[in-house]
Amino acid sequence: MTVSNRLAPETRTAWWRGAAIYQVYVRSFADGDGDGIGDLAGVRSRLPYLAELGIDAIWFCPWYPSPMDDGGYDVSDYRDIEPTFGTLAEAELLIAEAHELGIRIIIDIVPNHCSDEHPWFKAAVRAGPGSPERERFWFRPGRGANGELPPNDWQSRFGGPAWTRVADGEWFLHLYSSRQPDLNWTNPDVHKEFIDILKFWFDRGIDGFRIDVADGLVKDPALPNVEGLAPGAQLPFSDMDGVHEIYREWRKISDSYPGERIFVGEMWLPDPVRFAQYLRADELHSAFNFDFLSCPWDAKKLREVIQASLDSHSPVGAPTTWVLSNHDVTRHVTRYGRSGDTGFEFADRRHGTPVDRELGTRRARAAALLTMSLPGGVYVYQGEELGLWEIEDIPDELRQDPVFARTKGGDPGRDGCRVPIPWGGEFPPFGFSTGHTWLPQPGEWTSYTAEAEAADPGSMLELYRAALRIRRDEPALGDGEMRWLVHLADVIAFARDPGFACLVNLSGEDVPLPRHESVLLASGPLNDDMLPPDTAVWLRIP
């Protein structure tokens, strides 16, 4: 079977359709001033590393001024840089330097909510009930005899009620931390403000935005309770139809700039058809494929997710994107090293479950070749190219994710995938900083530094460099079509024209390779013409 995105020939040349994009979580990437926290100076010093890795663009998690209640996703000023990270002038310099190396820049935008220290919210609290300032947010009187109960039963995705009461008795909505008030997108001030923010950063040369909580901006103004809703029913705060008008408005802005400026959506949606609606030609350019990220290491399930992803994207002519890890989920070396279901879900991170790290690494290497050979774009989360795993033994007193606090430790949160990455040396801070890192690094990372792995031809880093180099040079890879090859049940096998095939063995036994002219790359040693378990191979085929 051939799967096609039915593209006009000229659209297949757009850079973003097959791009390899590297995610930088600034606090944990590289520290340039020795305070133990990553910054823009650190990123600038490592741009040659990223260029050598072979990526096409960098996506930055929020770099704006923020009290950092939620790692910067609580923004207090959308038109400046967090002082801990640097200055606006330094960001402009970074953009220019990256462009000189052929690397595009994508930044986060957080339109669902801001910080409680944002000037708008502070003005709203001061102004009182019924004021125009409060109409930019979701302020409501409470229920109960004296308004002592929240306006409805919505729960925060970080745990606890989604409402917090202010001194005058009204409540405000926050689907995340209580320090992240939700913005009210029925208010024209909000629309105007974000259009201005988009233009502010496009004018400074950025190439695109990753949209946080892209499905969540529009709420049902009646704010109905959700208790008793049938499973899979429409939630009144997610994927409401009105959100598409916002992105049509935004797309006109991006299209008015030269150089193919893009929007990438973050939506965790159960319905692939509704997911694809965000990717219509006049809305977002692409979106993260979380069904693939969440899928267990199982050939049948992976094949189904891949096919469903391609099928849902095809009618709207959008490229799929493939991602294994990010700043919100357990690193995939750890996930794949667990017994049983190796998928990911927020409801159960399986924290503390025994991990076979050797097995997880072997599968992670194979998964890297799988993702980089599928049609569309691919994302690399910082540190995955080094084979880093989830750090689960961070002392409780050092954890900073609000999820940990709001669930009273029931959910360990996301700090374990945000530990500063190691660059060189034999001991912490491994070249990340000259000071103590904001989260502790494990001593075991001595052999997992970028410096150590660059000297090891068999390392994860060298596998990623080789794969990204081939991916860029190979005309069959990136955007385009694929066709499944008939093979064994527990083997994923597909071809891409001209003359390329990928096989991933998820069975427990060696399997024979199909007829081929040469081996382009393998995630691990081959046994002559046999592919070992948990191994992937790229082949040149007739």
Side-chain angles (χ1 to χ4, degrees):
M1 173 172 27
T2 298
V3 182
S4 170
N5 279 343
R6 303 172 191 165
L7 307 175
E10 63 272 14
T11 64
R12 291 189 56 178
T13 62
W15 71 267
W16 49 272
R17 298 192 64 91
I21 300 175
Y22 188 94
Q23 180 188 356
V24 165
Y25 189 77
V26 181
R27 290 176 66 84
S28 300
F29 186 68
D31 173 22
D33 63 8
D35 64 356
I37 298 172
D39 49 37
L40 299 189
V43 176
R44 289 175 58 206
S45 73
R46 300 296 182 178
L47 285 176
Y49 166 86
L50 294 176
E52 186 178 1
L53 182 61
I55 51 98
D56 301 301
I58 304 170
W59 153 37
F60 285 90
C61 288
W63 59 10
Y64 314 105
S66 167
M68 294 292 167
D69 179 66
D70 180 27
Y73 284 91
D74 47 320
V75 180
S76 58
D77 183 352
Y78 289 86
R79 296 178 184 82
D80 206 349
I81 296 295
E82 163 60 34
T84 308
F85 297 159
T87 65
L88 183 57
E90 193 164 18
E92 292 171 342
L93 196 57
L94 189 158
I95 293 166
E97 290 171 347
H99 284 171
E100 288 175 5
L101 292 170
I103 297 173
R104 291 177 166 89
I105 300 294
I106 299 168
I107 64 173
D108 245 303
I109 192 166
V110 189
N112 179 71
H113 49 262
C114 62
S115 165
D116 61 352
E117 293 188 14
H118 190 284
W120 274 15
F121 189 74
K122 292 195 286 187
V125 172
R126 288 194 304 267
S131 63
E133 290 85 353
R134 289 207 173 179
E135 291 176 2
R136 295 165 172 165
F137 301 91
W138 293 96
F139 278 90
R140 292 292 185 273
R143 296 175 296 168
N146 299 302
E148 71 278 7
L149 299 175
N152 65 21
D153 65 356
W154 295 4
Q155 296 295 297
S156 162
R157 287 168 174 156
F158 285 173
W163 296 89
T164 291
R165 201 175 191 186
V166 296
D168 58 39
E170 281 202 324
W171 299 72
F172 69 88
L173 175 67
H174 53 87
L175 288 178
Y176 293 86
S177 161
S178 59
R179 299 199 62 189
Q180 293 170 289
D182 276 45
L183 291 156
N184 180 358
W185 276 86
T186 67
N187 187 290
D189 288 354
V190 177
H191 286 258
K192 182 177 181 298
E193 173 72 357
F194 276 89
I195 285 175
D196 189 74
I197 292 165
L198 296 178
K199 291 179 177 179
F200 178 90
W201 288 106
F202 278 142
D203 288 344
R204 276 153 186 79
I206 68 112
D207 300 281
F209 289 92
R210 176 265 193 188
I211 306 169
D212 186 58
V213 196
D215 62 296
L217 279 57
V218 174
K219 281 82 173 172
D220 184 335
L223 301 177
N225 287 336
V226 296
E227 184 179 358
L229 281 179
Q234 173 73 57
L235 293 171
F237 48 77
S238 172
D239 193 30
M240 302 289 287
D241 289 340
V243 76
H244 297 284
E245 291 303 319
I246 296 170
Y247 297 133
R248 291 189 184 102
E249 187 177 39
W250 286 18
R251 181 63 178 260
K252 292 174 184 175
I253 304 299
S254 69
D255 285 351
S256 71
Y257 283 82
E260 297 177 305
R261 316 294 179 95
I262 70 164
F263 294 114
V264 184
E266 183 220 22
M267 301 94 68
W268 290 82
L269 298 178
D271 184 340
V273 175
R274 289 192 66 87
F275 175 93
Q277 289 179 4
Y278 290 79
L279 305 178
R280 290 174 287 199
D282 60 348
E283 295 190 44
L284 308 183
H285 297 75
S286 64
F288 293 103
N289 189 343
F290 292 126
D291 288 341
F292 180 79
L293 179 152
S294 302
C295 189
W297 189 249
D298 176 275
K300 180 175 183 293
K301 292 178 180 178
L302 279 168
R303 198 180 295 111
E304 289 172 350
V305 164
I306 292 167
Q307 186 65 58
S309 299
L310 295 167
D311 288 346
S312 63
H313 285 64
S314 180
V316 293
T320 44
T321 62
W322 311 98
V323 56
L324 294 170
S325 285
N326 64 33
H327 65 293
D328 282 333
V329 307
T330 303
R331 285 190 178 272
H332 59 275
V333 163
T334 295
R335 299 199 316 266
Y336 291 154
R338 289 172 173 155
S339 60
D341 190 330
T342 59
F344 174 79
E345 57 178 306
F346 283 109
D348 181 11
R349 297 174 191 272
R350 301 185 68 193
H351 184 75
T353 304
V355 175
D356 182 340
R357 201 180 299 154
E358 182 180 345
L359 174 64
T361 299
R362 191 161 64 249
R363 290 174 170 176
R365 291 174 66 93
L369 295 197
L370 171 62
T371 58
M372 291 189 208
S373 54
L374 289 167
V378 64
Y379 281 79
V380 176
Y381 176 50
Q382 64 179 45
E384 78 171 68
E385 80 278 14
L386 301 176
L388 302 186
W389 57 90
E390 188 82 358
I391 306 305
E392 296 186 328
D393 58 353
I394 298 171
D396 288 353
E397 65 272 14
L398 298 181
R399 292 187 180 274
Q400 300 195 24
D401 188 352
V403 172
F404 178 75
R406 287 184 65 85
T407 61
K408 298 180 172 57
D411 187 328
R414 300 161 292 177
D415 290 324
C417 65
R418 300 176 177 182
V419 173
I421 65 173
W423 291 100
E426 297 184 359
F427 305 99
F430 294 120
F432 170 82
S433 174
T434 56
H436 292 290
T437 54
W438 71 279
L439 285 174
Q441 299 166 308
E444 297 168 272
W445 276 359
T446 300
S447 57
Y448 288 83
T449 67
E451 181 181 70
E453 294 200 21
D456 178 5
S459 69
M460 185 78 83
L461 176 60
E462 289 306 301
L463 177 71
Y464 268 70
R465 285 177 174 172
L468 287 166
R469 181 175 61 253
I470 293 171
R471 189 179 187 275
R472 177 171 285 185
D473 294 341
E474 180 64 40
L477 298 181
D479 190 29
E481 303 173 356
M482 62 166 274
R483 52 190 167 85
W484 296 110
L485 298 174
V486 177
H487 219 78
L488 301 173
D490 289 327
V491 176
I492 293 176
F494 57 90
R496 303 197 61 190
D497 295 328
F500 175 93
C502 174
L503 276 76
V504 188
N505 182 6
L506 290 90
S507 75
E509 300 177 353
D510 287 11
V511 297
L513 296 178
R515 186 166 63 92
H516 60 280
E517 296 174 353
S518 62
V519 173
L520 296 174
L521 187 64
S523 65
L526 304 179
N527 294 331
D528 294 322
D529 271 354
M530 302 293 284
L531 183 66
D534 297 315
T535 305
V537 65
W538 289 356
L539 300 174
R540 172 71 65 218
I541 59 174

